[in-house]
Structures are given as structure tokens and as C-alpha cells.
Amino acid sequence: MNTKNIRLSVLDQSPVRKGVTAEQAVKETIELAKYTDQLGYTRFWVSEHHNTGSLAGSTPEVLMAYLASQTTNIRIGSGGVMMPNHSALKVAENFRMLEALAPGRIDLGMGRAPGTDRLTASVLNPSNQFREQDFIEQLYDLRNFFHDTGEPGTPVGRIRAIPQVQTVPDMWLLSSSGQSGLFAAHFGMGLSFAHFINPFGGPEAVKLYRERFEPSEDMPVQQANVAIFVFCSEDEEKIRRHQALMDYRFNQFEKGAGLSPVSYDDIKDVEYSQGELDRINYNRARVITGTPTEIKLKLNWLAEDYKVDEIIAVTITESFEDRLESYRLLAEQFGLVK
């Protein structure tokens, strides 16, 4: 695949680095959005996570409104709104308001996981039954709210999502297993595969999505991309340290220890059991690191494997300067920087 045809985008989770406040983490997200807008990235998505001290991104729809006001060309979106935590009507109203603020520049990325633990999810939405059918019904309702096409006499037909705007956000489903890819195909929505969560099965899920895609009024042509942890640097030592930190984070998360901000010095002497080393080896497939030339090759291979022309980079670094630099180097390698 030709490098020049690959578009680059961002998924940012507002990571709280060690020694940094949540307020500063959010400010860094804002600065990164402005920076990647200037660099020529296609879209900037922000996430929804709850009950974790290491990620400050809990309300993408709120953050998106401000990001849209601070940027010019880049699409602003959710990666994603976790639908079990919300009513379809409230999501429709949030995103109609965003369309009013930045018409034609808003992406609604949606997930069917809660983005947190079961207890927190039950408090966020006490009526949540964690049923797949509920998610499917939400997608039907959401589409009807956006187009005012609810069946007459039904609640969705009697209620209008406010404000009544003329544009509809691009709708995407996020998937780490492939099941949501089938829903995306059925509803005529975009598919974003979370390789950074599950490094296996993605190309097959995208292929099945393409085969079963049914064009919709909002998305007549199928759209698919892949999201992956990325770190690019010209400093080999920084690359090694970054991989060590990612190894530690994955290990802590899988042990149920939660995620807390750490530095390389905190974890450099950690010794792992053979079982932990096996999991670290598995999880390394979720991350692409390297020098600019290496990154270019690896991301080209990834795009070719998935048969997509857009890669979403998720980058969490020990210093904010390294995060900015990684996105700059990526932009240079893929011809975004003029």
C-alpha cells in the first residue's frame, strides 16, 4: 500500500502522567489536538473511561465541544461513547449539539462495553442489563432520532432530539472482537478495530464487515480503520524504556491491580514470572514502536494486513514532549507535513 494514501488519526485518552494532575492531562489533550490539526491528521478521537486514576478522559462529548472550538480542519470524535452508560436520546442530543457547533466535522464513535468495571457501570446506569439486544435497539433508536424517523405513535416517534439541526455526525462502531463489525455492516456505519485492545482477528473482522456492508443514507461507502498503540522516536533508549513501561502497564491491568501513573525508574527493576513474560510477549502485538523508518514499515504492513487506508495512533508516553514528537515524526514519515 502506498504510504501517501494512508491517513493518520489520533485516539487520545488524556493519560495522567506521574507527577501531573488530571487538569494538566486534559490541557495536554487540548494541545495535542491543536498540534495534530496543524500536522494534517484526519481525526482526533477522545475516549470514555471511568474509575481509573491514570486516564482523565471520562466525558468525550464535553471535551469534544471544546476541542472543536480550538481546531480548524481535523475531525473531532468519540472513541468512543460507551452506549450502555447512556440513553440513545441523550447521545443524540449531545451530538446534535456538537453538529450545531461544528457542522460536518463530528464523529460519533460508539462502543458496547461500559469502559469500566461492572460495579462502576451499574452505578453509571442502574438499569443496565449488559444485553447485546439493548445495544442493537439503541442503534436503531439513535438513527431514528438523528433523522426524526421514529415510527408514529412510539416513544421514538413522538420525541424529537434537540437541537433540530440539518447535519448528522459520521457514526462508527468500535470493535475488539468482530461482533460490532457485523452491527456496523448492518447499520451502514464505519468500523474501527481496536488492535490496541485485541491484536488478533482484526483483519478477518474488517474483511467480514466489508463483505456484509449495507450502504446507509449517512454512509453510502464503507469506512474502516485500525487503532493501535504507537510510539516513534529517533532515540533507541527512549523506545526501549517506552516498551518496558507498556509491558508493565499491561501486566498490572491483567492482574487486576488497576492502572496508576508510573515512571520508568519505578518499574525498571521489576522481575516477571514466566507466565507474566508469556503475557507480555502476547501483548507486545498491541504496540508498534521504532525509529521513524521502522515505524513507517511496520504501519504500512499493518495497513496492508487490514486492507485499510487509515491508522489511528494511540500514544502514551512518560513525557508530553515525547508524545508530541512521536506524532510529528509519524506525520513526516507519511507525508502529512508539507
Side-chain angles (χ1 to χ4, degrees):
M1 185 172 290
N2 190 325
T3 296
K4 290 185 178 179
N5 294 332
I6 294 179
R7 294 172 296 151
L8 296 178
S9 294
V10 182
L11 169 60
D12 195 71
Q13 301 168 317
S14 300
V16 181
R17 299 180 293 107
K18 185 175 182 181
V20 167
T21 63
E23 291 90 342
Q24 182 60 33
V26 173
K27 288 179 181 177
E28 289 175 357
T29 291
I30 296 165
E31 187 173 337
L32 181 62
K34 292 195 269 189
Y35 188 58
T36 51
D37 184 26
Q38 295 168 359
L39 289 175
Y41 279 72
T42 296
R43 62 187 94 243
F44 192 97
W45 285 0
V46 289
S47 62
E48 178 183 338
H49 291 93
H50 304 279
N51 199 30
T52 173
S54 63
L55 302 174
S58 61
T59 54
E61 61 275 22
V62 175
L63 185 53
M64 285 172 61
Y66 190 77
L67 294 178
S69 74
Q70 299 297 302
T71 54
T72 305
N73 298 309
I74 198 167
R75 296 188 65 86
I76 301 297
S78 56
V81 167
M82 311 318 287
M83 293 300 288
N85 303 334
H86 309 276
S87 74
L89 175 60
K90 189 56 183 170
V91 172
E93 292 197 327
N94 285 339
F95 278 78
R96 274 193 155 179
M97 179 59 76
L98 287 165
E99 279 290 331
L101 295 170
R105 202 155 62 89
I106 298 298
D107 291 335
L108 169 53
M110 295 168 281
R112 62 189 180 109
T116 187
D117 57 88
R118 261 307 169 90
L119 175 62
T120 306
S122 68
V123 174
L124 279 164
N125 179 8
S127 65
N128 186 3
Q129 300 296 310
F130 301 97
R131 296 184 308 181
E132 186 175 275
Q133 186 59 34
D134 292 340
F135 178 65
I136 295 170
E137 290 174 4
Q138 282 185 304
L139 296 179
Y140 276 111
D141 290 347
L142 193 62
R143 185 166 64 181
N144 286 328
F145 280 132
F146 278 135
H147 292 284
D148 301 319
T149 53
E151 186 177 342
T154 66
V156 177
R158 295 171 60 187
I159 298 170
R160 292 289 174 260
I162 302 300
Q164 293 270 283
V165 296
Q166 303 305 307
T167 55
V168 174
D170 277 4
M171 286 178 275
W172 292 73
L173 292 190
L174 317 182
S175 180
S176 60
S177 66
Q179 180 62 48
S180 288
L182 298 177
F183 298 152
H186 174 77
F187 283 97
M189 298 176 179
L191 172 64
S192 182
F193 193 88
H195 189 105
F196 72 102
I197 295 175
N198 177 16
F200 298 101
E204 293 78 12
V206 171
K207 181 174 183 292
L208 192 58
Y209 160 77
R210 293 195 187 282
E211 291 171 352
R212 300 197 179 183
F213 181 81
E214 299 176 22
S216 65
E217 177 183 351
D218 301 314
M219 195 169 285
V221 178
Q222 56 191 242
Q223 292 190 56
N225 61 39
V226 56
I228 186 167
F229 284 117
V230 177
F231 178 63
C232 185
S233 176
E234 295 172 323
D235 186 328
E236 296 277 6
E237 177 61 16
K238 283 186 178 181
I239 294 169
R240 187 189 69 80
R241 289 166 62 119
H242 177 82
Q243 186 63 68
L245 272 167
M246 295 300 288
D247 291 344
Y248 178 83
R249 290 189 183 109
F250 290 145
N251 184 59
Q252 289 299 103
F253 184 76
E254 292 193 345
K255 287 166 60 177
L259 294 172
S260 57
V262 293
S263 68
Y264 175 75
D265 288 338
D266 294 328
I267 61 94
K268 64 181 180 180
D269 297 321
V270 172
E271 294 185 3
Y272 299 105
S273 68
Q274 185 56 53
E276 289 172 331
L277 290 172
D278 290 342
R279 290 303 302 169
I280 284 171
N281 187 56
Y282 172 91
N283 283 318
R284 283 190 173 183
R286 299 162 60 182
V287 186
I288 286 181
T289 63
T291 62
T293 303
E294 291 169 341
I295 284 283
K296 185 177 181 180
L297 286 171
K298 291 176 181 179
L299 290 182
N300 269 307
W301 290 335
L302 183 75
E304 182 59 37
D305 194 24
Y306 273 82
K307 300 294 186 292
V308 297
D309 62 1
E310 181 182 0
I311 294 171
I312 298 183
V314 192
T315 303
I316 298 176
T317 55
E318 197 170 355
S319 80
F320 182 54
E321 292 71 27
D322 286 343
R323 191 148 130 238
L324 293 174
E325 179 72 354
S326 180
Y327 281 110
R328 184 187 69 79
L329 293 171
L330 276 183
E332 286 183 351
Q333 286 301 308
F334 285 85
L336 304 190
V337 179
K338 300 295 186 288

